[in-house]
Amino acid sequence: MLLGTTSAATWTFGRVLLVAEGASASTSTIAWMAIGAGGAVAALTAGALDRLGPRAAWSLDLAGVSTATAGLALAAGSDVVGSVAVGAVLACALFGWSFVAATSALIAWGADVSPSRAGAATAAFFVALVVGQAIGSTALAAVAGGVGLPGAFWLAALTGPVAAAAPALGRLEDGQSKSSSASISSRVEPEA
């Protein structure tokens, strides 16, 4: 749910933030396209993330989502000519990569949590993600009324480290010191 809450800022208000802070419509469109480009790059890093395991990959990916969310707020508020566009594109590319990588980690994590019912576990994770996005979007809209949209982005970015810490909390609860190092393909088995 916290991935949804953190990512809701960019997904729901990213272009609004850029335009409200003075970026052109074309800059916001190019930045939005960078999200897709970053997401495509996630395929190139999938092997390396798989070797980390879903818990470590999750933490790294959430750090990326959080950094990108804060970076978008920082870029939007920049007074340096041209830096809004460059910063927004870089933040959105990082967001795209880290969001897609995080959802991939959820799929792998679902296979770890319930190897015989990996699909059901993944579905539960994605339902939680969508609920988090709904809660995050609603809360950010309310918060933005008080602290402004850039401030709401900074607050959303703060939820990322909490979500990144979730694997460590899970290890404390279940007594595991490390997640399985098996590859994603060997963890996923068809359901009967």
Side-chain angles (χ1 to χ4, degrees), residues 11-46:
W11 284 129
T12 307
F13 302 109
R15 291 187 68 197
V16 172
L17 171 71
L18 289 171
V19 172
E21 294 296 312
S24 67
S26 61
T27 295
S28 71
T29 300
I30 292 167
W32 207 253
M33 291 166 54
I35 292 175
V41 170
L44 302 175
T45 60

Side-chain angles (χ1 to χ4, degrees), residues 1-7 58 125 127-133 135-136 163:
M1 283 179 66
L2 289 173
L3 169 59
T5 302
T6 303
S7 65
W58 172 260
F125 283 151
V127 167
L129 170 69
V130 171
V131 168
Q133 286 177 329
I135 291 169

Side-chain angles (χ1 to χ4, degrees), residues 59 86 135 143 168 183 188:
S59 294
V86 172
I135 291 169
V143 168
S183 70
V188 177

Side-chain angles (χ1 to χ4, degrees), residues 50-156:
D50 187 47
R51 286 187 291 280
L52 288 176
R55 290 173 186 251
W58 172 260
S59 294
L60 176 66
D61 301 337
L62 261 292
V65 170
S66 191
T67 300
T69 301
L72 197 55
L74 187 63
S78 176
D79 291 332
V80 179
V81 176
S83 66
V84 172
V86 172
V89 168
L90 291 175
C92 285
L94 175 60
F95 178 84
W97 172 82
S98 52
F99 184 83
V100 170
T103 57
S104 298
L106 283 178
I107 294 167
W109 207 347
D112 271 1
V113 169
S114 181
S116 65
R117 297 186 37 87
T122 299
F125 283 151
F126 277 84
V127 167
L129 170 69
V130 171
V131 168
Q133 286 177 329
I135 291 169
S137 294
T138 304
L140 287 169
V143 168
V147 300
L149 204 46
F153 268 66
W154 286 105
L155 289 172

